[in-house]
Amino acid sequence: MSDFPIPVVAESVTIHPRSIKGRFRLFKSVTLYLAYLVYFILPWIPWSRPVGDPQAVLFDMTARKFYIFGLVVHAQDIFWLAALLFLAAVLLFFSTALVGRAFCGYFCFQTLWTDAFRSIEKMIQGDRVKRIRLDKQPWNGEKILKKGSTHFLWLFLAFWTGLSFILYWGYAPDLIVKFFTGQAPSVSYFATFGLMTTTYLAAGLMREKVCQHVCPYSRFQSVMIDKDTLVPAYDPERGEGTAGRAKPVKALKTQEARKAAGVGDCVDCGLCVQVCPVGIDIRDGMQYACIQCGLCVDACDSIMDARGWDRGLIRYESENGLEHGKTHFFKLRTYGYGLAMIGAIAFLMWSMSGKKIVESTARQIRSPLYVSLSDGRILNRYELKVDNKSMYDVSFSLSLKGLDGAEVDMGQIKEVLLKPDEKQRVMVKVRRDPAKSLTNNTEFQFVLTPKTGEVKEPLYIDSQFITP
């Protein structure tokens, strides 16, 4: 026989949380309704614009443009995404330092969809006791009907989730018709059924195991939470007393009697464990599996209210607070996160407000560098690129600045005219008498003077004129 102990793997147990009412449950529900309303309704909100489909939020990969209400994000604006991701990361760190895993408990997609799936399960199978009884009973018509209906609605919600996702990437009214008539791009079906499968598995079958074993956030939260972080915590001094917790038997029904017996306020009802979506006992202290949703606080408060005792046996509290110390919310770390957030927001606002609606560049054609004409003048050629990022027609006249006596020639083009969201290349020839140049290379500027459109100020493009 081996001298090494055989590792034991705990048996997987299905967790059936008990329903509870309270302020934290209400906040979770409101967050769930708002998140679902935004996610499922947003692709259907109309938004009129001169260019692009009339959809409020549309990620047009073909045109390489994101339309977000009145904002148009071009491929060149990808650094906005980097700034936004940085802001999201810092916001997560900042909130974790202050209130622990509040993001997990209230805003995480896994939490939101698992809550919705559990609501379906409760609607069909009943509350906690009925669901546990249904799991234990042998398979019969009732169990097959209830379990089958539950999984059918889970699959429907998962499918609706995947379908709604692809509607952000195409004009929703057209795309949904093409989807159900088999005319949509193949990637639409792969994305829809792929997301449907992962949603069904994660929110319907794996549930809390995703938070415990898949998501890395639970594993490194311990390095982000300190003694000043607010987390749902059990007050052992009040709950245990000197003799521990005890049921509210006849001799221990009042706080005075319990205090005299050295017993704490915890009546050992187990409700805080029953409502926990990950099945932990908050009285055992801080645990990595806790998503800090606050439902145990609601459960304990309901018991304290029923007995007429003060709330707060389980409450959002810091480790320092439990030890009767002072909680320091703002210190060097949180100040640093706050400054980083302000910096990211300021950068995004500055970048978006200063975005050029028309961009232009000039490239000198260097093969050859210059051409000597029969009349003695020198000719340089340029490729002028103008990108109209606005939603309206624009037109410009072209002139030169800093190149006296030069002649500009655009061939048959009299003015630069661009439609909304159009790019244009214009071949430009510049002729000049070399006698007027003091140096071989003369710096000058192309000047695009607006005639129509949103641009009001001239555009200046630096270039140079080369002579022998």
Side-chain angles (χ1 to χ4, degrees), residues 1-9:
M1 182 180 291
S2 173
D3 294 332
F4 296 100
I6 300 175
V8 178
V9 179

Side-chain angles (χ1 to χ4, degrees), residues 29-42:
S29 297
V30 171
T31 303
L32 173 66
Y33 297 147
L34 288 177
Y36 270 53
L37 186 66
V38 170
Y39 179 77
F40 290 110
I41 299 299
L42 205 56

Side-chain angles (χ1 to χ4, degrees), residues 17 28 74 85 101 108 128 148 156 168 178 195 200 202 218 303 316 327 338 346-347 369 383 398 448-449 462:
K28 279 174 66 68
H74 295 76
L85 291 175
R101 293 177 65 186
C108 177
R128 180 174 184 270
F156 175 77
Y168 283 89
K178 291 179 179 178
L195 189 56
Y200 172 73
S218 62
I303 298 298
Y316 269 90
T327 300
F347 170 78
L369 285 175
E383 182 184 61
L398 181 64
L448 289 170
T449 305
D462 294 330

Side-chain angles (χ1 to χ4, degrees), residues 1 18 22 55 61 114 162 171 227 232 303 334 422-423 443:
M1 182 180 291
R18 182 172 178 172
Q55 184 169 313
M61 298 302 293
T114 300
Y171 184 46
K227 291 186 175 183
I303 298 298
T334 49
E422 181 186 12
K423 296 179 181 179
E443 303 293 333

Side-chain angles (χ1 to χ4, degrees), residues 50 356-358 386-397 415-421 448-459:
K356 295 180 180 179
I357 58 176
V358 175
V386 186
D387 184 2
N388 179 20
K389 295 183 177 181
S390 73
M391 295 290 100
Y392 302 93
D393 291 341
V394 295
S395 61
F396 299 91
S397 62
E415 62 182 23
V416 180
L417 176 63
L418 296 98
K419 295 180 180 180
D421 220 16
L448 289 170
T449 305
K451 300 180 68 177
T452 60
E454 290 185 293
V455 181
K456 304 302 179 185
E457 300 294 328
L459 304 178

Side-chain angles (χ1 to χ4, degrees), residues 167-322:
L167 296 182
Y168 283 89
W169 306 88
Y171 184 46
D174 290 345
L175 184 55
I176 198 166
V177 172
K178 291 179 179 178
F179 184 90
F180 286 107
T181 56
Q183 301 174 23
S186 58
V187 67
S188 301
Y189 299 98
F190 283 116
T192 298
F193 291 107
L195 189 56
M196 170 186 169
T197 302
T198 55
T199 301
Y200 172 73
L201 292 175
L205 304 183
M206 296 179 66
R207 297 184 177 181
E208 72 283 347
K209 295 177 180 61
V210 173
C211 304
Q212 295 173 347
H213 307 301
V214 178
C215 179
Y217 188 37
S218 62
R219 297 297 180 175
F220 64 75
Q221 64 162 322
S222 58
V223 301
M224 304 175 68
I225 293 177
D226 58 21
K227 291 186 175 183
D228 292 310
T229 302
L230 291 181
V231 295
Y234 169 70
D235 188 346
E237 182 178 330
R238 177 184 166 185
E240 308 290 334
T242 57
R245 51 183 180 256
K247 299 284 185 180
V249 295
K250 185 175 181 180
L252 298 174
K253 285 192 173 183
T254 65
Q255 281 186 309
E256 293 75 13
R258 298 175 74 88
K259 186 175 181 181
V263 176
D265 285 352
C266 180
V267 296
D268 205 16
C269 62
L271 189 59
C272 58
V273 181
Q274 294 175 25
V275 302
C276 180
V278 293
I280 66 170
D281 190 339
I282 193 65
R283 296 171 296 180
D284 293 337
M286 181 64 181
Q287 299 160 67
Y288 81 91
C290 177
I291 62 173
Q292 298 170 16
C293 60
L295 296 185
C296 55
V297 180
D298 284 339
C300 190
D301 284 350
S302 68
I303 298 298
M304 295 297 106
D305 291 344
R307 306 200 67 80
W309 300 348
D310 292 337
R311 292 182 170 190
L313 178 57
I314 299 177
R315 62 186 184 272
Y316 269 90
E317 186 61 274
S318 67
E319 187 176 341
N320 282 335
L322 287 176

